[in-house]
Amino acid sequence: VFQKWVNREISNFDYLIQLNTMAGRTYNDLAQYPVFPWILRDYTSEELDLNNPAVFRDLSKPIGVVNEKNAKTVKEKYNFEDPLGMIDKFHYGTHYSNAAGVMHYLIRVEPFTTLHIQLQSGRFDCADRQFHSIPATWQALMDSPNDVKELIPEFFFFPEFLENQNGFNLGQLQMSKEVVNDVVLPKWAHSPEDFIYKHRKALESEYVSAHLHEWIDLIFGYKQRGPAAVEALNVFY
């Protein structure tokens, strides 16, 4: 598979799916759901220019420190000594992929809606915590190293998860009183289909093809644990 990918006989999307499968990740287990990278950092321009390297996320860094200013906090957390010596050191107390995160992204689609409601003791979580906007989700990641969710494959092929086709009442945001309905898209996307098309194109772009191995090292490779993980600020609780 690796050689096929290097020779560009399979797409970046297919390669990531196969890596996830080999790592034991599966759509049948929310706790081991396939994980995909955030690949863009530009969610505000009117047009998305895939020839400009500045629109892409730095794939060599864990999502928690893509924004350089979070690195200090992350290092401090790692250097905190557990007085009882019970807890191994870590940079992040949450994970880049977990069941709640999958439900968070897929809340508008069954069976994930029902699973979310069960998780929240029979109701929807408060609107401010819902997945309501792609630009706002990215901004929250940049503002704080506490949320380190990467993406799921659906961001590259499944426009329906961005629409509230079932008309669920997901509440309204506290500050703006905005009703949470369809997911707010980046300015450069004119519809959920257009978002998926451009996002998939970004995944297959020259820039990502040249740098995707750096992210793979963090998630599936030698920077997952040990000294390389410490150096890369990539140690999870």
Side-chain angles (χ1 to χ4, degrees):
V1 175
F2 174 69
Q3 213 42 58
K4 277 188 166 170
W5 178 63
V6 170
N7 297 341
R8 305 217 171 177
E9 289 165 28
I10 58 173
S11 66
N12 292 336
F13 181 87
D14 286 334
Y15 186 50
L16 285 171
I17 286 288
Q18 295 198 33
L19 277 178
N20 272 286
T21 305
M22 288 189 277
R25 291 184 167 273
T26 166
Y27 289 114
N28 300 324
D29 182 354
L30 291 184
Q32 289 294 334
Y33 206 78
V35 56
F36 266 57
W38 283 93
I39 52 171
L40 295 170
R41 61 165 56 200
D42 180 356
Y43 296 95
T44 51
S45 300
E46 300 286 340
E47 296 292 327
L48 181 64
D49 177 9
L50 295 179
N51 294 317
N52 176 5
V55 305
F56 294 97
R57 166 243 178 123
D58 181 345
L59 287 159
S60 70
K61 293 181 178 165
I63 195 69
V65 290
V66 164
N67 184 347
E68 199 52 54
K69 78 170 180 58
N70 292 334
K72 184 168 173 281
T73 317
V74 166
K75 284 178 188 157
E76 281 169 0
K77 185 177 277 186
Y78 185 82
N79 290 323
F80 171 77
E81 286 295 334
D82 171 26
L84 300 173
M86 302 282 282
I87 300 172
D88 289 339
K89 293 175 158 214
F90 60 88
H91 291 119
Y92 312 102
T94 58
H95 206 242
Y96 52 75
S97 168
N98 57 37
V102 176
M103 290 182 232
H104 175 77
Y105 285 139
L106 294 175
I107 188 170
R108 290 163 179 77
V109 190
E110 289 290 14
F112 305 96
T113 314
T114 299
L115 291 167
H116 168 92
I117 289 170
Q118 286 169 355
L119 183 73
Q120 297 296 331
S121 318
R123 56 183 172 74
F124 283 113
D125 196 5
C126 85
D128 285 78
R129 287 201 290 268
Q130 307 293 20
F131 173 47
H132 75 277
S133 156
I134 294 172
T137 302
W138 174 256
Q139 198 46 55
L141 287 176
M142 291 304 96
D143 291 344
S144 151
N146 295 329
D147 180 7
V148 290
K149 274 195 293 296
E150 290 278 11
L151 298 183
I152 52 175
E154 282 79 356
F155 275 83
F156 300 92
F157 72 82
F158 185 52
E160 286 77 6
F161 90 102
L162 298 167
E163 300 173 284
N164 187 13
Q165 291 183 350
N166 295 315
F168 293 123
N169 176 6
L170 300 172
Q172 55 185 161
L173 304 180
Q174 274 179 328
M175 296 290 284
S176 65
K177 298 289 177 247
E178 184 190 339
V179 173
V180 176
N181 192 22
D182 293 347
V183 176
V184 177
L185 302 170
K187 282 186 183 164
W188 45 258
H190 308 301
S191 66
E193 290 75 14
D194 188 46
F195 170 79
I196 297 290
Y197 171 72
K198 288 174 177 164
H199 201 216
R200 181 73 168 259
K201 212 168 155 180
L203 178 63
E204 302 302 340
S205 68
E206 201 48 54
Y207 179 90
V208 174
S209 297
H211 293 276
L212 189 57
H213 66 279
E214 299 171 348
W215 183 82
I216 290 169
D217 287 340
L218 295 168
I219 306 294
F220 300 108
Y222 76 104
K223 293 184 179 177
Q224 285 180 83
R225 49 177 62 112
V230 176
E231 196 181 336
L233 305 183
N234 195 40
V235 180
F236 291 83
Y237 175 62

